[in-house]
Amino acid sequence: MSSAAELVKRQRRATTFTLAHPEHADKHVGGVNAVEVDGEACDGYTVFTGGRDGTVRSWDLSSGVPRCARTFEGHASWVNDVKRIDSAHLASASSDKSVRLWDTSRGTLRATLYGHTDYVMALARGADDSAHALASGGLNKELFLWDIERGIATNVSPSSMTIYANTYATPLSGSKDSIYALDVSADGNVLVSGGTELALRVWDARTRTKEGKLKGHTDTVRAIVVDASGRKCVTASSDRTIRVWDIGQQRCVQTFAGMHSGSIWALDVDREFSRVYSSGVDRRICVTNLANRRSTLLCMESAAVLNIKLDDTHRSATSDGDI
């Protein structure tokens, strides 16, 4: 017969709750790790954020004054990335080792995806309606592809979802170190991952196989943007450089340095893939023209910039909880 101590140990489970505080009604507690713009709601004036307080928030900017419209609670640790699935659903990645799918219209949790054994740092989702897979990457060399319609990992069988079971999803093999950044082509077929391995890995999401490696960065890769066609990508690193890559030829075609004095953590590119917006530890938000290779300082933030999402206002998220 099991002792009382053994029964208590087996029954322990993580619990999270939020204590309301007026000061934080319209602000994350701690840094904002992720920003996502909903381009189909209110002409792009709805913004989703993930914070170090373990919450996901939606912000109504239609009036010109930011208002926290809804708070999504459930994660037991930092939210490291958020990614829009469609006009009514959002995915979030957390240091609590889970990926959660939210119904943004109702403010409810749709599903929790388990499989990661360490922090989940990044998400990627194709922009086309035909792209049904969601990718998640994190520490411990783990990269997963998820069928978001069924809520299961497509790279393994069986996999677990919503509730822990005796069988667990296993990640795609091939990564040699922790993953901090992901992005994917518009159709969801070309996936690029990067992190502490320094080299970028290129994956075919359809066959779930590794297709190539891009070498050049000398420190952790912090951000990746893949163009819609999947032929090229732009990356930012703690080595203070931005690089442009030809994915098909597996080589770096441009390197930019000198615009930042510290690690570059945040990156986004305009629709024409001609201008790169970047920021990081030095609080500088810069734009670099890929054609003439000129970089311009746009502004200085009040704290280190953790994430940038490009729209008409070039929004950024900082380490002091502001957007």
Side-chain angles (χ1 to χ4, degrees):
M1 180 179 293
S2 300
S3 66
E6 291 175 338
L7 287 173
V8 170
K9 185 176 181 180
R10 282 205 301 265
Q11 292 172 1
R12 286 177 181 171
R13 102 179 24 170
T15 303
T16 180
F17 60 92
T18 302
L19 297 176
H21 195 292
E23 179 185 353
H24 301 130
D26 291 315
K27 183 177 181 179
H28 280 284
V29 183
V32 180
N33 288 335
V35 179
E36 179 76 320
V37 177
D38 187 348
E40 295 184 5
C42 302
D43 298 323
Y45 287 103
T46 297
V47 173
F48 297 98
T49 57
R52 294 181 176 181
D53 56 5
T55 68
V56 176
R57 300 185 183 224
S58 65
W59 303 85
D60 181 3
L61 306 183
S62 58
S63 66
V65 179
R67 180 182 64 86
C68 182
R70 180 165 282 156
T71 300
F72 304 85
E73 299 175 0
H75 281 298
S77 189
W78 288 10
V79 177
N80 298 314
D81 202 3
V82 292
K83 196 65 60 178
R84 180 177 169 275
I85 302 300
D86 54 39
S87 59
H89 297 93
L90 185 80
S92 59
S94 172
S95 295
D96 67 6
K97 308 176 188 178
S98 74
V99 175
R100 293 181 181 244
L101 303 180
W102 306 92
D103 185 322
T104 56
S105 60
R106 299 179 180 179
T108 57
L109 179 66
R110 175 184 167 189
T112 303
L113 310 178
Y114 293 111
H116 284 274
T117 63
D118 211 327
Y119 296 175
V120 190
M121 301 301 297
L123 298 171
R125 165 88 161 94
D128 292 351
D129 293 337
S130 59
H132 297 298
L134 173 72
S136 63
L139 306 190
N140 201 24
K141 303 180 286 187
E142 293 175 335
L143 175 61
F144 288 87
L145 293 175
W146 304 94
D147 183 326
I148 53 180
E149 295 296 325
R150 296 184 295 161
I152 63 174
T154 61
N155 49 299
V156 294
S157 180
S159 66
S160 59
M161 64 174 181
T162 306
I163 301 174
Y164 278 107
N166 293 325
T167 54
Y168 291 86
T170 56
L172 292 175
S173 60
S175 294
K176 297 286 182 67
D177 219 326
S178 295
I179 296 170
Y180 280 79
L182 288 175
D183 201 22
V184 68
S185 58
D187 60 11
N189 294 334
V190 179
L191 176 68
V192 180
S193 64
T196 53
E197 184 184 353
L198 310 188
L200 299 158
R201 298 274 178 174
V202 181
W203 309 80
D204 186 327
R206 294 164 297 185
T207 60
R208 298 175 291 281
T209 56
K210 186 175 58 180
E211 293 294 309
K213 183 189 295 186
L214 308 176
K215 293 183 177 180
H217 282 299
T218 59
D219 206 335
T220 303
V221 177
R222 293 285 184 173
I224 300 171
V225 178
V226 177
D227 81 325
S229 68
R231 296 189 181 96
K232 55 187 176 182
C233 68
V234 179
T235 58
S237 168
S238 292
D239 65 11
R240 306 179 187 181
T241 68
I242 293 172
R243 291 176 180 260
V244 182
W245 307 83
D246 185 308
I247 294 177
Q249 297 182 15
Q250 297 188 29
R251 69 185 184 93
C252 178
V253 294
Q254 287 181 298
T255 301
F256 298 90
M259 72 287 286
H260 292 288
S261 60
S263 297
I264 306 174
W265 289 347
L267 187 73
D268 208 354
V269 183
D270 65 2
R271 292 182 180 179
E272 292 74 28
F273 225 75
S274 61
R275 289 182 173 83
V276 177
Y277 296 79
S278 58
S279 193
V281 174
D282 63 4
R283 302 179 291 122
R284 296 163 56 94
I285 296 181
C286 298
V287 56
T288 300
N289 188 308
L290 298 182
N292 61 27
R293 300 181 60 85
R294 292 182 179 177
S295 296
T296 304
L297 175 65
L298 290 180
C299 64
M300 291 281 290
E301 278 286 5
S302 58
V305 177
L306 305 175
N307 196 283
I308 284 179
K309 180 60 64 173
L310 183 64
D311 71 340
D312 292 338
T313 61
H314 316 314
R315 296 190 178 91
S316 62
T318 69
S319 57
D320 64 358
D322 290 334
I323 304 171

